[in-house]
Amino acid sequence: MGKKILIVDDEKEIADLVEVYLKNDGYEVLKFYNATDALHCVMEEQEPDLALLDVMLPDMSGFTLCQKIREKYLFPIIMLTAKVEDMDKITGLTLGADDYITKPFNPLELMARVKTQLRRYTRYNPGSMEPEEELPADEIDIRGLQICRNKHKCTLNGKELNLTPIEFDILWYLCEHQGTVVASEELFEAIWKEKYLDNYNTVMTHIARLREKMQEPARKPKYVKTVWGVGYTIE
């Protein structure tokens, strides 16, 4: 049997759908429609390898459930919610959640995030280390965005992206510097190997094409974000 995934969502249709996708990928599923039963399962019966927690539950909020779990356990937690406000996201992450996805979501994106969190957890927690799950040095996986430098291949939620060499190099450089803001000047000189001389439009145009292929909304992209007046970042 594969890793155990805890699902806690009072929307039965969503919980059942996620369960189908997880089981099809070989995971064992622990499914509950309220927080109380889920918490009892975790504390008294079985510790899962990852939890998917809805924020709006009938007996206590998913944030509270997350906080209670974090008092004892370190396994990854992904919050599921219809709320999109930044403060809700910050609240979840502050209380110990590892990731956050808003409803309605693409099940394939959720599956990609589950795999990313499991891989990251086993990599950075020696007690649960599984060497076969580690990514080679030339591969990066960020919330379902997988890019391999040696094979020059990039997939997003399991779908391959047809990138030009320049687009691929831009995306690799940003992924390699995940969490930091890369200035337009730095990005241009790193990719084009030329001195930056007011080439902002060149960078901007390629970023726009890259986002289009990733089907990223220009105003609220999930991956390649603009830091106005500075450059670009992947968080």
Side-chain angles (χ1 to χ4, degrees), residues 75-125:
F75 57 78
I77 295 175
I78 300 176
M79 305 300 298
L80 310 176
T81 181
K83 296 183 176 182
V84 297
E85 290 82 358
D86 287 341
M87 187 53 64
D88 292 306
K89 179 178 180 179
I90 293 170
T91 299
L93 298 177
T94 300
L95 293 175
D98 298 278
D99 202 356
Y100 189 100
I101 188 168
T102 55
K103 299 176 181 179
F105 51 79
N106 183 333
L108 294 178
E109 179 183 356
L110 178 61
M111 293 302 301
R113 295 201 187 190
V114 165
K115 292 175 182 178
T116 297
Q117 290 300 328
L118 287 172
R119 186 182 295 115
R120 182 174 298 158
Y121 181 66
T122 55
R123 186 182 306 152
Y124 292 111
N125 290 270

Short mmCIF file of all heavy atoms in Angstrom, two decimals, residues 75-125:
data_model
loop_
_atom_site.label_atom_id
_atom_site.label_comp_id
_atom_site.label_asym_id
_atom_site.label_seq_id
_atom_site.Cartn_x
_atom_site.Cartn_y
_atom_site.Cartn_z
N PHE A 75 4.15 16.19 9.40
CA PHE A 75 3.86 15.81 8.02
C PHE A 75 3.23 16.98 7.26
O PHE A 75 2.62 17.88 7.86
CB PHE A 75 2.94 14.58 7.98
CG PHE A 75 1.63 14.72 8.71
CD1 PHE A 75 0.57 15.42 8.17
CD2 PHE A 75 1.46 14.14 9.97
CE1 PHE A 75 -0.63 15.54 8.84
CE2 PHE A 75 0.26 14.24 10.65
CZ PHE A 75 -0.79 14.96 10.08
N PRO A 76 3.39 17.02 5.94
CA PRO A 76 2.91 18.16 5.14
C PRO A 76 1.39 18.33 5.22
O PRO A 76 0.64 17.36 5.29
CB PRO A 76 3.33 17.79 3.71
CG PRO A 76 4.41 16.78 3.87
CD PRO A 76 4.09 16.02 5.11
N ILE A 77 0.97 19.61 5.22
CA ILE A 77 -0.45 19.96 5.23
C ILE A 77 -0.73 20.93 4.09
O ILE A 77 -0.05 21.95 3.95
CB ILE A 77 -0.86 20.60 6.56
CG1 ILE A 77 -0.71 19.59 7.72
CG2 ILE A 77 -2.30 21.12 6.50
CD1 ILE A 77 -0.98 20.18 9.09
N ILE A 78 -1.72 20.60 3.27
CA ILE A 78 -2.18 21.49 2.20
C ILE A 78 -3.59 21.94 2.53
O ILE A 78 -4.47 21.11 2.76
CB ILE A 78 -2.15 20.78 0.83
CG1 ILE A 78 -0.73 20.31 0.49
CG2 ILE A 78 -2.67 21.71 -0.26
CD1 ILE A 78 -0.64 19.52 -0.80
N MET A 79 -3.82 23.24 2.57
CA MET A 79 -5.13 23.78 2.87
C MET A 79 -5.96 23.91 1.59
O MET A 79 -5.46 24.35 0.55
CB MET A 79 -5.02 25.16 3.53
CG MET A 79 -4.16 25.23 4.78
SD MET A 79 -4.71 24.16 6.14
CE MET A 79 -6.33 24.85 6.48
N LEU A 80 -7.23 23.53 1.67
CA LEU A 80 -8.18 23.66 0.56
C LEU A 80 -9.24 24.67 0.95
O LEU A 80 -9.88 24.50 1.99
CB LEU A 80 -8.84 22.31 0.25
CG LEU A 80 -7.93 21.09 0.09
CD1 LEU A 80 -8.78 19.84 -0.12
CD2 LEU A 80 -6.98 21.29 -1.08
N THR A 81 -9.45 25.68 0.12
CA THR A 81 -10.44 26.68 0.51
C THR A 81 -10.98 27.44 -0.68
O THR A 81 -10.32 27.53 -1.73
CB THR A 81 -9.84 27.70 1.50
OG1 THR A 81 -10.83 28.64 1.87
CG2 THR A 81 -8.67 28.44 0.88
N ALA A 82 -12.19 27.97 -0.52
CA ALA A 82 -12.78 28.82 -1.54
C ALA A 82 -12.33 30.26 -1.37
O ALA A 82 -12.56 31.10 -2.24
CB ALA A 82 -14.30 28.74 -1.47
N LYS A 83 -11.69 30.56 -0.25
CA LYS A 83 -11.23 31.92 0.00
C LYS A 83 -9.94 32.20 -0.76
O LYS A 83 -9.08 31.33 -0.87
CB LYS A 83 -11.00 32.14 1.50
CG LYS A 83 -12.26 32.03 2.34
CD LYS A 83 -11.96 32.35 3.80
CE LYS A 83 -13.22 32.33 4.63
NZ LYS A 83 -12.96 32.67 6.04
N VAL A 84 -9.82 33.43 -1.26
CA VAL A 84 -8.62 33.77 -2.03
C VAL A 84 -7.86 34.93 -1.42
O VAL A 84 -6.83 35.34 -1.95
CB VAL A 84 -9.00 34.12 -3.49
CG1 VAL A 84 -9.61 32.92 -4.19
CG2 VAL A 84 -9.97 35.31 -3.55
N GLU A 85 -8.34 35.46 -0.31
CA GLU A 85 -7.70 36.62 0.28
C GLU A 85 -6.30 36.25 0.78
O GLU A 85 -6.07 35.17 1.32
CB GLU A 85 -8.51 37.17 1.46
CG GLU A 85 -9.82 37.84 1.06
CD GLU A 85 -10.95 36.83 0.84
OE1 GLU A 85 -10.68 35.62 0.97
OE2 GLU A 85 -12.06 37.27 0.52
N ASP A 86 -5.35 37.17 0.61
CA ASP A 86 -3.97 36.94 1.04
C ASP A 86 -3.91 36.66 2.53
O ASP A 86 -3.10 35.85 2.98
CB ASP A 86 -3.10 38.15 0.70
CG ASP A 86 -2.81 38.25 -0.79
OD1 ASP A 86 -2.97 37.22 -1.47
OD2 ASP A 86 -2.42 39.33 -1.26
N MET A 87 -4.75 37.33 3.33
CA MET A 87 -4.68 37.15 4.78
C MET A 87 -5.03 35.72 5.17
O MET A 87 -4.44 35.16 6.10
CB MET A 87 -5.62 38.13 5.48
CG MET A 87 -5.48 38.12 7.01
SD MET A 87 -3.76 38.36 7.57
CE MET A 87 -3.46 40.02 6.97
N ASP A 88 -5.97 35.09 4.46
CA ASP A 88 -6.31 33.70 4.75
C ASP A 88 -5.14 32.79 4.44
O ASP A 88 -4.85 31.85 5.17
CB ASP A 88 -7.54 33.28 3.95
CG ASP A 88 -8.80 33.98 4.42
OD1 ASP A 88 -9.09 33.91 5.62
OD2 ASP A 88 -9.46 34.61 3.60
N LYS A 89 -4.46 33.08 3.34
CA LYS A 89 -3.29 32.29 2.97
C LYS A 89 -2.21 32.45 4.03
O LYS A 89 -1.61 31.46 4.48
CB LYS A 89 -2.76 32.73 1.61
CG LYS A 89 -1.50 31.98 1.17
CD LYS A 89 -1.08 32.42 -0.21
CE LYS A 89 0.18 31.68 -0.66
NZ LYS A 89 0.60 32.07 -2.00
N ILE A 90 -1.96 33.69 4.44
CA ILE A 90 -0.94 33.96 5.45
C ILE A 90 -1.29 33.26 6.76
O ILE A 90 -0.42 32.68 7.43
CB ILE A 90 -0.79 35.47 5.67
CG1 ILE A 90 -0.20 36.12 4.41
CG2 ILE A 90 0.10 35.77 6.88
CD1 ILE A 90 -0.23 37.63 4.44
N THR A 91 -2.58 33.29 7.13
CA THR A 91 -3.01 32.63 8.37
C THR A 91 -2.68 31.14 8.33
O THR A 91 -2.11 30.59 9.28
CB THR A 91 -4.52 32.82 8.59
OG1 THR A 91 -4.81 34.22 8.71
CG2 THR A 91 -4.98 32.10 9.85
N GLY A 92 -3.04 30.48 7.23
CA GLY A 92 -2.78 29.06 7.11
C GLY A 92 -1.30 28.73 7.18
O GLY A 92 -0.89 27.81 7.89
N LEU A 93 -0.49 29.49 6.48
CA LEU A 93 0.94 29.22 6.47
C LEU A 93 1.57 29.52 7.82
O LEU A 93 2.49 28.83 8.26
CB LEU A 93 1.62 30.05 5.37
CG LEU A 93 1.16 29.73 3.94
CD1 LEU A 93 1.84 30.66 2.94
CD2 LEU A 93 1.41 28.28 3.58
N THR A 94 1.06 30.54 8.49
CA THR A 94 1.59 30.88 9.82
C THR A 94 1.29 29.78 10.83
O THR A 94 2.10 29.50 11.72
CB THR A 94 0.98 32.21 10.31
OG1 THR A 94 1.30 33.25 9.39
CG2 THR A 94 1.52 32.57 11.68
N LEU A 95 0.15 29.13 10.69
CA LEU A 95 -0.24 28.08 11.63
C LEU A 95 0.40 26.74 11.31
O LEU A 95 0.18 25.77 12.03
CB LEU A 95 -1.76 27.93 11.65
CG LEU A 95 -2.53 29.13 12.23
CD1 LEU A 95 -4.03 28.92 12.07
CD2 LEU A 95 -2.18 29.34 13.70
N GLY A 96 1.17 26.68 10.22
CA GLY A 96 1.93 25.47 9.95
C GLY A 96 1.60 24.76 8.65
O GLY A 96 2.16 23.70 8.38
N ALA A 97 0.69 25.31 7.84
CA ALA A 97 0.40 24.67 6.56
C ALA A 97 1.61 24.83 5.63
O ALA A 97 2.36 25.80 5.72
CB ALA A 97 -0.84 25.29 5.93
N ASP A 98 1.76 23.88 4.72
CA ASP A 98 2.89 23.91 3.78
C ASP A 98 2.50 24.47 2.42
O ASP A 98 3.36 24.97 1.68
CB ASP A 98 3.44 22.49 3.60
CG ASP A 98 3.97 21.92 4.89
OD1 ASP A 98 5.11 22.24 5.25
OD2 ASP A 98 3.23 21.17 5.56
N ASP A 99 1.23 24.39 2.09
CA ASP A 99 0.77 24.88 0.79
C ASP A 99 -0.70 25.23 0.90
O ASP A 99 -1.36 24.93 1.90
CB ASP A 99 1.01 23.83 -0.29
CG ASP A 99 1.07 24.42 -1.70
OD1 ASP A 99 0.85 25.64 -1.85
OD2 ASP A 99 1.32 23.66 -2.65
N TYR A 100 -1.24 25.83 -0.16
CA TYR A 100 -2.58 26.43 -0.12
C TYR A 100 -3.13 26.41 -1.54
O TYR A 100 -2.46 26.86 -2.46
CB TYR A 100 -2.41 27.86 0.37
CG TYR A 100 -3.67 28.62 0.70
CD1 TYR A 100 -4.09 28.77 2.00
CD2 TYR A 100 -4.39 29.26 -0.30
CE1 TYR A 100 -5.22 29.52 2.33
CE2 TYR A 100 -5.52 30.00 0.00
CZ TYR A 100 -5.92 30.12 1.32
OH TYR A 100 -7.04 30.85 1.62
N ILE A 101 -4.29 25.82 -1.74
CA ILE A 101 -4.88 25.80 -3.08
C ILE A 101 -6.36 26.19 -2.97
O ILE A 101 -7.05 25.76 -2.05
CB ILE A 101 -4.72 24.42 -3.74
CG1 ILE A 101 -5.17 24.45 -5.21
CG2 ILE A 101 -5.45 23.33 -2.97
CD1 ILE A 101 -4.75 23.21 -5.99
N THR A 102 -6.82 27.04 -3.87
CA THR A 102 -8.18 27.55 -3.79
C THR A 102 -9.13 26.75 -4.68
O THR A 102 -8.75 26.23 -5.73
CB THR A 102 -8.24 29.04 -4.21
OG1 THR A 102 -7.68 29.19 -5.52
CG2 THR A 102 -7.47 29.89 -3.24
N LYS A 103 -10.37 26.65 -4.21
CA LYS A 103 -11.42 25.99 -4.99
C LYS A 103 -12.06 27.01 -5.94
O LYS A 103 -12.19 28.18 -5.59
CB LYS A 103 -12.50 25.45 -4.04
CG LYS A 103 -12.00 24.41 -3.04
CD LYS A 103 -13.14 24.02 -2.11
CE LYS A 103 -12.69 23.01 -1.07
NZ LYS A 103 -13.79 22.64 -0.15
N PRO A 104 -12.53 26.55 -7.10
CA PRO A 104 -12.36 25.19 -7.64
C PRO A 104 -10.93 25.00 -8.13
O PRO A 104 -10.32 25.93 -8.65
CB PRO A 104 -13.36 25.16 -8.80
CG PRO A 104 -13.44 26.59 -9.25
CD PRO A 104 -13.30 27.43 -8.01
N PHE A 105 -10.41 23.80 -7.96
CA PHE A 105 -9.04 23.53 -8.39
C PHE A 105 -9.02 22.39 -9.40
O PHE A 105 -9.94 21.59 -9.49
CB PHE A 105 -8.16 23.18 -7.20
CG PHE A 105 -8.71 22.10 -6.31
CD1 PHE A 105 -8.62 20.76 -6.66
CD2 PHE A 105 -9.34 22.42 -5.11
CE1 PHE A 105 -9.14 19.76 -5.86
CE2 PHE A 105 -9.87 21.42 -4.29
CZ PHE A 105 -9.77 20.09 -4.67
N ASN A 106 -7.95 22.36 -10.16
CA ASN A 106 -7.72 21.27 -11.11
C ASN A 106 -7.16 20.08 -10.33
O ASN A 106 -6.12 20.21 -9.68
CB ASN A 106 -6.72 21.73 -12.17
CG ASN A 106 -6.47 20.67 -13.24
OD1 ASN A 106 -6.62 19.47 -12.99
ND2 ASN A 106 -6.09 21.12 -14.42
N PRO A 107 -7.84 18.93 -10.33
CA PRO A 107 -7.33 17.78 -9.58
C PRO A 107 -5.90 17.41 -9.93
O PRO A 107 -5.14 16.95 -9.08
CB PRO A 107 -8.31 16.66 -9.96
CG PRO A 107 -9.58 17.36 -10.32
CD PRO A 107 -9.13 18.63 -10.99
N LEU A 108 -5.51 17.62 -11.19
CA LEU A 108 -4.14 17.30 -11.59
C LEU A 108 -3.14 18.23 -10.92
O LEU A 108 -2.03 17.82 -10.56
CB LEU A 108 -4.00 17.37 -13.12
CG LEU A 108 -4.80 16.32 -13.91
CD1 LEU A 108 -4.62 16.53 -15.41
CD2 LEU A 108 -4.39 14.91 -13.51
N GLU A 109 -3.54 19.50 -10.75
CA GLU A 109 -2.67 20.43 -10.04
C GLU A 109 -2.54 20.01 -8.58
O GLU A 109 -1.45 20.05 -7.99
CB GLU A 109 -3.21 21.86 -10.11
CG GLU A 109 -2.34 22.85 -9.36
CD GLU A 109 -2.89 24.26 -9.36
OE1 GLU A 109 -3.93 24.51 -10.01
OE2 GLU A 109 -2.28 25.12 -8.70
N LEU A 110 -3.66 19.61 -7.97
CA LEU A 110 -3.61 19.16 -6.58
C LEU A 110 -2.70 17.95 -6.44
O LEU A 110 -1.89 17.86 -5.52
CB LEU A 110 -5.02 18.82 -6.09
CG LEU A 110 -5.11 18.29 -4.65
CD1 LEU A 110 -4.59 19.32 -3.67
CD2 LEU A 110 -6.55 17.90 -4.31
N MET A 111 -2.82 16.99 -7.36
CA MET A 111 -1.97 15.80 -7.31
C MET A 111 -0.50 16.18 -7.44
O MET A 111 0.36 15.61 -6.76
CB MET A 111 -2.36 14.83 -8.43
CG MET A 111 -3.74 14.22 -8.28
SD MET A 111 -3.93 13.31 -6.72
CE MET A 111 -2.63 12.10 -6.92
N ALA A 112 -0.20 17.15 -8.30
CA ALA A 112 1.19 17.58 -8.46
C ALA A 112 1.72 18.20 -7.17
O ALA A 112 2.87 17.95 -6.78
CB ALA A 112 1.29 18.59 -9.61
N ARG A 113 0.87 18.95 -6.50
CA ARG A 113 1.30 19.57 -5.24
C ARG A 113 1.49 18.53 -4.14
O ARG A 113 2.39 18.66 -3.30
CB ARG A 113 0.29 20.63 -4.82
CG ARG A 113 0.21 21.80 -5.77
CD ARG A 113 -0.38 23.01 -5.11
NE ARG A 113 -0.61 24.10 -6.03
CZ ARG A 113 -0.94 25.32 -5.66
NH1 ARG A 113 -1.08 25.60 -4.37
NH2 ARG A 113 -1.14 26.26 -6.54
N VAL A 114 0.63 17.53 -4.12
CA VAL A 114 0.78 16.44 -3.14
C VAL A 114 2.13 15.77 -3.33
O VAL A 114 2.89 15.56 -2.37
CB VAL A 114 -0.36 15.41 -3.30
CG1 VAL A 114 -0.02 14.11 -2.56
CG2 VAL A 114 -1.67 15.98 -2.78
N LYS A 115 2.47 15.45 -4.56
CA LYS A 115 3.74 14.78 -4.85
C LYS A 115 4.93 15.67 -4.48
O LYS A 115 5.94 15.20 -3.95
CB LYS A 115 3.80 14.38 -6.31
CG LYS A 115 2.80 13.29 -6.67
CD LYS A 115 2.79 13.00 -8.16
CE LYS A 115 1.74 11.96 -8.50
NZ LYS A 115 1.67 11.69 -9.96
N THR A 116 4.81 16.97 -4.77
CA THR A 116 5.89 17.90 -4.44
C THR A 116 6.12 17.96 -2.94
O THR A 116 7.27 17.91 -2.48
CB THR A 116 5.56 19.31 -4.97
OG1 THR A 116 5.46 19.26 -6.40
CG2 THR A 116 6.63 20.30 -4.58
N GLN A 117 5.04 18.07 -2.17
CA GLN A 117 5.18 18.16 -0.72
C GLN A 117 5.72 16.87 -0.12
O GLN A 117 6.56 16.90 0.79
CB GLN A 117 3.83 18.51 -0.07
CG GLN A 117 3.36 19.92 -0.34
CD GLN A 117 4.33 20.97 0.16
OE1 GLN A 117 5.02 20.78 1.15
NE2 GLN A 117 4.42 22.09 -0.55
N LEU A 118 5.29 15.72 -0.62
CA LEU A 118 5.81 14.46 -0.13
C LEU A 118 7.29 14.32 -0.44
O LEU A 118 8.08 13.86 0.39
CB LEU A 118 5.03 13.29 -0.75
CG LEU A 118 3.62 13.07 -0.22
CD1 LEU A 118 2.90 12.01 -1.05
CD2 LEU A 118 3.63 12.66 1.25
N ARG A 119 7.68 14.70 -1.64
CA ARG A 119 9.08 14.63 -2.03
C ARG A 119 9.94 15.55 -1.17
O ARG A 119 11.01 15.19 -0.70
CB ARG A 119 9.23 14.99 -3.51
CG ARG A 119 10.64 14.82 -4.05
CD ARG A 119 10.74 15.24 -5.49
NE ARG A 119 9.92 14.38 -6.35
CZ ARG A 119 8.87 14.78 -7.03
NH1 ARG A 119 8.49 16.04 -6.94
NH2 ARG A 119 8.20 13.95 -7.79
N ARG A 120 9.43 16.76 -0.97
CA ARG A 120 10.19 17.73 -0.16
C ARG A 120 10.32 17.26 1.29
O ARG A 120 11.38 17.38 1.89
CB ARG A 120 9.48 19.08 -0.21
CG ARG A 120 10.20 20.21 0.56
CD ARG A 120 9.48 21.52 0.31
NE ARG A 120 9.52 21.87 -1.08
CZ ARG A 120 8.66 22.70 -1.67
NH1 ARG A 120 7.67 23.20 -0.97
NH2 ARG A 120 8.77 22.99 -2.95
N TYR A 121 9.26 16.67 1.83
CA TYR A 121 9.29 16.22 3.21
C TYR A 121 10.29 15.08 3.40
O TYR A 121 11.06 15.06 4.35
CB TYR A 121 7.89 15.75 3.63
CG TYR A 121 7.81 15.28 5.06
CD1 TYR A 121 7.98 16.17 6.11
CD2 TYR A 121 7.55 13.95 5.37
CE1 TYR A 121 7.91 15.75 7.43
CE2 TYR A 121 7.46 13.52 6.68
CZ TYR A 121 7.64 14.42 7.70
OH TYR A 121 7.56 14.01 9.02
N THR A 122 10.27 14.12 2.50
CA THR A 122 11.21 13.00 2.62
C THR A 122 12.64 13.45 2.41
O THR A 122 13.57 12.88 2.98
CB THR A 122 10.87 11.88 1.61
OG1 THR A 122 10.85 12.41 0.29
CG2 THR A 122 9.53 11.26 1.92
N ARG A 123 12.83 14.51 1.62
CA ARG A 123 14.19 14.98 1.35
C ARG A 123 14.78 15.69 2.56
O ARG A 123 15.96 15.56 2.86
CB ARG A 123 14.18 15.94 0.15
CG ARG A 123 15.57 16.39 -0.29
CD ARG A 123 15.46 17.37 -1.44
NE ARG A 123 14.65 16.81 -2.51
CZ ARG A 123 13.95 17.54 -3.36
NH1 ARG A 123 13.90 18.84 -3.23
NH2 ARG A 123 13.25 16.96 -4.31
N TYR A 124 13.97 16.45 3.28
CA TYR A 124 14.50 17.27 4.38
C TYR A 124 14.23 16.71 5.76
O TYR A 124 14.55 17.34 6.76
CB TYR A 124 13.92 18.69 4.28
CG TYR A 124 14.43 19.43 3.07
CD1 TYR A 124 13.58 19.72 2.01
CD2 TYR A 124 15.77 19.79 2.96
CE1 TYR A 124 14.04 20.38 0.88
CE2 TYR A 124 16.23 20.45 1.83
CZ TYR A 124 15.36 20.74 0.80
OH TYR A 124 15.82 21.40 -0.31
N ASN A 125 13.66 15.51 5.83
CA ASN A 125 13.45 14.86 7.11
C ASN A 125 14.12 13.50 7.09
O ASN A 125 13.57 12.54 6.54
CB ASN A 125 11.95 14.71 7.41
CG ASN A 125 11.31 16.05 7.70
OD1 ASN A 125 11.25 16.50 8.84
ND2 ASN A 125 10.82 16.71 6.65
#
